[in-house]
Amino acid sequence: MNIEFTSQSVLIAGAARGIGRGITEAFAARGAQVFAGDRLGDEMAGLPAHKTELDLLNKAALRGWIETSEKTAGRSPDVLVYVAGGVLGQSAKPLEEVDEEAWRAILDVNLTGAFLSAQAVTPGMKRRGKGRIVFIASGAGLRTSLTGIQAYASAKAGEIGLARQLGQELGPFGITVNAVAPGFQRTSPDYERQWQSYSPERQESLIANTARRRPGTPQDIAHAVMFLASDYADFITGQVLSVTGSP
Ligand SMILES: NC(=O)c1ccc[n+]([C@@H]2O[C@H](COP(=O)([O-])OP(=O)(O)OC[C@H]3O[C@@H](n4cnc5c(N)ncnc54)[C@H](O)[C@@H]3O)[C@@H](O)[C@H]2O)c1
């Protein structure tokens, strides 16, 4: 199976850090014209992509980014990968102490951003009668979250539900919508902080309890995303694929 994206326009929403960066590099290496968007403009340096600094929750900026990609590529996006999310520097607190603003901020970037981005690329994909949308969810949306953050587990479960529902709605238009659920990876400052908070024994047991006996990498996630974005996955929609090295 040889997966290629030559002459396709691929949007990566949330491209600056570990997983988004790995996905951007993987699509670019397979011939795609990649449009990388993130609010961390400086951290996108060196990415093999057209780079745009934007807040994905700002609808006007989001539409402007997509229009720019359409002018540059001469076509509407073939693939959208929504990666933005994470825990925004928050730590676990007892439920009674969680303030609503902190709750909403995590829901906004992990769930509402996925909704807005999918909404924005859908008209172009419908016109062409083909499109691929992949959300980066988390094992936290299928089980409980190692972070202990209520909003994160809820938002990631919501993102998986959104993929399922949009898969149903957009299937007749040739558009598939799926989610990939990574396990823990030391990809960004938030996750590094979480890793450092574990004892050496806990760190060791995380790897020892992984069936494949190694940590996951952004490339592992990129490979799953590219399969779902390829023609080989035309009959797969509304699904969530765990990429955790374990059953
Ligand atoms: N690293 C892990 O252990 C892990 C595990 C499971 C799922 N995930 C998910 O994978 C995705 C990527 O995570 P990561 O580990 O690469 O690091 P991360 O969570 O720090 O990456 C999120 C990226 O999204 C960008 N972003 C956030 N809000 C934005 C906004 N409003 N506008 C534009 N860009 C914005 C950030 O700048 C960052 O580059 C996230 O959705 C995260 O929840 C990560």
Side-chain angles (χ1 to χ4, degrees), residues 14-20 37-40 54-57 83-88 109-110 136-139 152 156 182-188 190-191:
R17 289 200 165 147
I19 291 176
D38 201 290
R39 62 181 178 182
L40 302 172
L54 84 160
D55 178 356
L56 291 159
L57 298 174
V83 191
V87 299
L88 305 175
V109 68
N110 286 281
I136 304 303
S138 171
Y152 186 64
K156 289 305 195 188
F184 183 79
Q185 297 191 7
R186 294 166 65 186
T187 45
S188 77
D190 278 340
Y191 296 101

Side-chain angles (χ1 to χ4, degrees), residues 13-227:
R17 289 200 165 147
I19 291 176
R21 177 167 280 272
I23 295 171
T24 302
E25 290 168 349
F27 272 102
R30 283 159 189 85
Q33 191 166 18
V34 185
F35 295 86
D38 201 290
R39 62 181 178 182
L40 302 172
D42 292 349
E43 290 195 29
M44 285 193 287
L47 273 179
H50 301 276
K51 299 172 270 281
T52 302
E53 182 175 337
L54 84 160
D55 178 356
L56 291 159
L57 298 174
N58 175 330
K59 277 210 276 191
L62 178 63
R63 282 175 201 282
W65 178 44
I66 292 166
E67 276 167 28
T68 304
S69 83
E70 287 170 340
K71 279 192 198 122
T72 309
R75 57 199 281 142
S76 50
D78 296 272
V79 179
L80 163 73
V81 188
Y82 188 84
V83 191
V87 299
L88 305 175
Q90 295 185 30
S91 325
K93 285 184 179 166
L95 179 59
E96 315 87 279
E97 290 170 27
V98 177
D99 69 71
E100 200 179 319
E101 210 179 310
W103 161 270
R104 279 190 203 281
I106 287 184
L107 270 127
D108 280 350
V109 68
N110 286 281
L111 179 55
T112 308
F115 157 73
L116 292 174
S117 296
Q119 191 178 47
V121 297
T122 290
M125 291 182 174
K126 275 189 176 175
R127 273 197 300 277
R128 185 182 304 128
K130 189 177 175 203
R132 294 280 186 270
I133 298 174
V134 183
F135 299 149
I136 304 303
S138 171
L142 290 166
R143 294 172 290 278
T144 55
S145 176
L146 282 175
T147 67
I149 299 174
Q150 301 87 349
Y152 186 64
S154 308
K156 289 305 195 188
E159 215 176 348
I160 291 166
L162 182 64
R164 191 183 304 125
Q165 194 61 39
L166 294 185
Q168 180 68 29
E169 177 179 338
L170 301 177
F173 302 96
I175 304 168
T176 68
V177 188
N178 291 287
V180 169
F184 183 79
Q185 297 191 7
R186 294 166 65 186
T187 45
S188 77
D190 278 340
Y191 296 101
E192 187 58 30
R193 190 166 46 91
Q194 189 182 337
W195 176 256
Q196 296 304 340
S197 75
Y198 296 157
S199 65
E201 296 73 36
R202 176 133 194 236
Q203 290 178 354
E204 243 171 67
S205 81
L206 266 179
I207 307 296
N209 291 331
T210 301
R212 292 289 294 110
R213 298 287 194 280
R214 67 167 177 85
T217 65
Q219 289 68 41
D220 292 318
I221 307 307
H223 293 155
V225 169
M226 289 191 298
F227 168 64

